[in-house]
Amino acid sequence: SSGINAEYGVDATNQEAACRIFSTPDFVGDLCKALSARVRGAVAQTSFDQFHKHSVELIQESVFGKDTKTQEIHDRLVFPSNNLIVTGIDIQSVEPVDQRTRDSLQKSVQLAIEITTKSQEATASQEAERPDQEARGRPERQNLTAEAEAENARPPHPRPPLPHPRD
C-alpha cells in the first residue's frame, strides 16, 4: 500500500489551463492505473532479489523517472491532460495482489531462508570438525614424512650390470 501526494498546477491567469483540471472525470482512477502500469513495467524487468532489496527506490524511480545525466530521481510527475502533479509517494508495504503470486512468493522466501540456514549450518559443522580432522591426520602425515625421509636417506640401489654385446 502507498500514499500519494498530488496537487494541481493551476495558472490562474490562463482560463483554458485552469479548466483542464476538470477534463478527466476519474482522475484518481486514471492516476492509479498510470502509476501501477509504471510500477509493473519496472518490476517485470527486475530480478526478485533486486526487487526485494531495493523495492522502494525501484518504485519511486518507476513513478517519477530518473534524470539521465545526474541519475537522480525526479521530484515530480506531471499529467498534462489535467495539470495533476504527483509530488510524493509513500510506500508503506509491498505485496502482490494475486493470491497465487503471494503464495509463490512466500514459498520462495521460505525456501531461500531454509537454503541459507542449511548452508550456514554446514559451514559451522565443517569448521567445528576441522580441528578434529587435523588432529587425526597429523600422525598419518608424520608417518608419511618419516617414510619419505627414510627413503631419501638410503643409499641408491646398485644397478645390475648390462649384458655384454658378445654374449
Side-chain angles (χ1 to χ4, degrees):
S1 66
S2 62
I4 299 170
N5 295 332
E7 59 189 43
Y8 282 103
V10 179
D11 179 2
T13 62
N14 184 339
Q15 181 77 21
E16 185 182 327
C19 287
R20 266 194 248 145
I21 65 172
F22 301 108
S23 67
T24 306
D26 184 16
F27 70 93
V28 173
D30 289 352
L31 172 66
C32 290
K33 285 178 193 173
L35 296 184
S36 65
R38 286 171 171 248
V39 171
R40 282 190 193 108
V43 170
Q45 298 175 14
T46 307
S47 70
F48 171 76
D49 193 45
Q50 280 296 103
F51 180 75
H52 188 68
K53 291 178 181 175
H54 306 286
S55 60
V56 172
E57 294 88 357
L58 178 73
I59 291 169
Q60 288 179 338
E61 182 181 334
S62 68
V63 169
F64 296 111
K66 187 187 269 190
D67 187 297
T68 55
K69 291 180 184 173
T70 65
Q71 297 299 309
E72 290 183 18
I73 295 174
H74 294 294
D75 62 351
R76 57 187 38 218
L77 170 65
V78 178
F79 290 90
S81 62
N82 62 354
N83 294 333
L84 183 64
I85 303 169
V86 178
T87 58
I89 184 164
D90 180 22
I91 298 128
Q92 295 156 2
S93 67
V94 179
E95 288 184 18
V97 176
D98 180 59
Q99 186 62 42
R100 285 191 342 228
T101 304
R102 188 179 300 143
D103 293 344
S104 178
L105 181 61
Q106 184 65 30
K107 285 180 186 176
S108 177
V109 169
Q110 286 173 343
L111 184 61
I113 290 170
E114 286 178 28
I115 289 169
T116 302
T117 301
K118 287 180 182 178
S119 173
Q120 289 173 344
E121 287 172 353
T123 301
S125 175
Q126 288 174 348
E127 289 299 317
E129 289 179 19
R130 183 183 299 195
D132 217 22
Q133 290 173 349
E134 287 175 355
R136 286 193 306 262
R138 205 170 287 124
E140 188 174 331
R141 192 167 62 228
Q142 287 172 344
N143 286 343
L144 290 172
T145 303
E147 286 177 17
E149 287 173 358
E151 186 70 32
N152 289 337
R154 282 191 211 154
H157 295 293
R159 288 189 171 180
L162 294 173
H164 199 275
R166 284 185 245 148
D167 291 337

